[in-house]
Amino acid sequence: MKGLQGKTVLVTGGGGAIGSAICRRFAEEGARLLVADRAAEAAQRVAKECKGEALVFDIANYGAAKSALAAHQIDVLINNAGWDRFQNFVDTKPDEWEQLIDINLRGPLNMHHLVLPQMLAKGRGRIVNISSDAARVGSSGESVYSACKGGILSFTKTLAREVARKNITVNVVCPGPTDTPILRSFLGEGEAGQKVYDALVRAIPMKRVGQPDDIPGLVAFLASDEAGFITGQVISVSGGLTMAG
Ligand SMILES: NC(=O)c1ccc[n+]([C@@H]2O[C@H](COP(=O)([O-])OP(=O)(O)OC[C@H]3O[C@@H](n4cnc5c(N)ncnc54)[C@H](O)[C@@H]3O)[C@@H](O)[C@H]2O)c1
C-alpha cells in the first residue's frame, strides 16, 4: 500500500488481539511500530515480533501518555485500545461507568490531543479509530461502552472537519463480533456460550465470526496515501451483519 513505508505508526492496545494483528500488518508494509499498551509483556512481545518499540502506559492517564510520547514523531495514530464489562444498564453502578469511559472515550481523546499538534505542524497525518458496531446498531449488555464508542464516531466526524485543510484524515473502523477474548467474555463459557456463538454465525450473512486478521487491511488502507481523500467516514467490518448507511 502506498505511503506506509518508513512511517511511524502508533497502535494503542497493540498487545491485544486486533491490535497485534494491526501491528503485524503495518510491519509488513515497512512501517516503524510503536506498540502502546498498559499490558507490558504483551506490548513487548508484539514490539519484538514487529521490530518496533513498546510504549507501556495507560491511555486514560494524560500525563503518562504525554511522557511516553515525548520523544516520538507520529505519522499514523491507531486508537485501538478498548475494554468492556457486560451488564444490562439498570444493573450497573455509576462508579462502574468511570473505567469504561476512561478507556473507551477519555483515552482516545487524550491520544488525539497529544498527537494532533505534531500532525498539524507537519501538515500531514492519518488517524484511524477502532470503534464498534455496538455504536452503530446497539448491543444488549454494552450500554456505557456503546455510548463511548458512539462518542468516538461523533468526535471523529467533527475533528475530521477541523483538521481536513491540514491534510489530516480521521476515520473510524467498526468491527462486528470478532473472535477475541472480549467476545468470548461477552458470550460466556461452556455450552451456553457456544450456543450464542452458533446463533451469531447463523445471523452473519458470511456465516462466520470475524477474526482479528479481518480488520488490519482496512486500517492500513485508511492510513495509506491511497485514502488521502477519505475522511470522517465510518466503515464496518462485520461479514455483512450490519449494513449501516
Ligand atoms: N472483539 C470484538 O468483538 C470487538 C468488536 C467491536 C469492537 N472491538 C474493539 O476492538 C478493539 C480491540 O479489541 P480486542 O478484541 O482486540 O481486545 P483485546 O482485549 O484483545 O485488546 C485490547 C488491548 O487494549 C489494551 N488496553 C485496554 N485498556 C487500556 C488502557 N487504558 N491503556 C492502554 N492499553 C489498554 C489491553 O491491555 C489489550 O491489550 C477495542 O477497541 C474493542 O472495543 C472489538
Side-chain angles (χ1 to χ4, degrees):
M1 232 166 264
K2 287 182 191 159
L4 295 178
Q5 177 86 33
K7 290 282 176 359
T8 299
V9 179
L10 187 146
V11 182
T12 69
I18 293 173
S20 60
I22 292 171
C23 288
R24 284 190 281 275
R25 178 59 194 265
F26 278 108
E28 279 168 25
E29 297 284 347
R32 179 177 164 262
L33 265 303
L34 295 175
V35 183
D37 207 296
R38 66 180 174 179
E41 208 179 305
Q44 281 150 6
R45 178 176 35 78
V46 177
K48 192 174 174 198
E49 193 188 335
C50 296
K51 299 183 174 56
E53 188 177 334
L55 300 181
V56 180
F57 64 94
D58 180 346
I59 56 166
N61 181 333
Y62 190 91
K66 188 175 182 183
S67 307
L69 303 192
H72 299 284
Q73 284 292 317
I74 290 147
D75 300 301
V76 175
L77 169 63
I78 312 297
N79 283 302
N80 162 78
W83 176 76
D84 200 2
R85 181 197 291 118
F86 304 96
Q87 246 179 330
N88 285 336
F89 184 65
V90 289
D91 299 326
T92 65
K93 296 186 185 69
D95 59 0
E96 293 168 349
W97 304 341
E98 299 304 324
Q99 203 179 354
L100 286 163
I101 295 169
D102 269 358
I103 296 174
N104 298 299
L105 187 60
R106 183 182 302 281
L109 296 186
N110 286 343
M111 296 305 295
H112 283 87
H113 199 255
L114 289 166
V115 169
L116 271 167
Q118 301 178 351
M119 292 182 172
L120 289 166
K122 277 186 285 202
R124 191 195 182 283
R126 292 278 186 274
I127 302 176
V128 182
N129 292 321
I130 307 300
S131 175
S132 169
D133 266 352
R136 304 189 93 180
V137 298
S139 176
S140 299
E142 299 193 89
S143 52
V144 180
Y145 169 88
S146 300
C148 297
K149 293 292 194 179
I152 292 298
L153 303 191
S154 310
F155 173 74
T156 296
K157 291 174 190 176
T158 295
L159 186 69
R161 291 180 188 278
E162 289 182 3
V163 299
R165 270 180 293 176
K166 290 289 189 177
N167 193 26
I168 299 169
T169 67
V170 198
N171 290 290
V172 180
V173 171
C174 287
T178 307
D179 204 346
T180 75
I182 285 188
L183 181 73
R184 292 287 170 175
S185 65
F186 175 67
L187 298 178
E189 295 189 348
E191 207 178 313
Q194 191 57 43
K195 273 192 178 161
V196 188
Y197 185 94
D198 294 344
L200 204 50
V201 170
R202 283 195 298 277
I204 295 170
M206 297 191 86
K207 299 298 170 210
R208 68 172 178 84
V209 166
Q211 295 299 318
D213 278 337
D214 287 317
I215 312 295
L218 177 59
V219 176
F221 168 70
L222 290 170
S224 77
D225 286 354
E226 324 250 10
F229 203 49
I230 300 174
T231 196
Q233 302 304 306
V234 181
I235 308 175
S236 292
V237 180
S238 64
L241 179 62
T242 51
M243 297 190 185

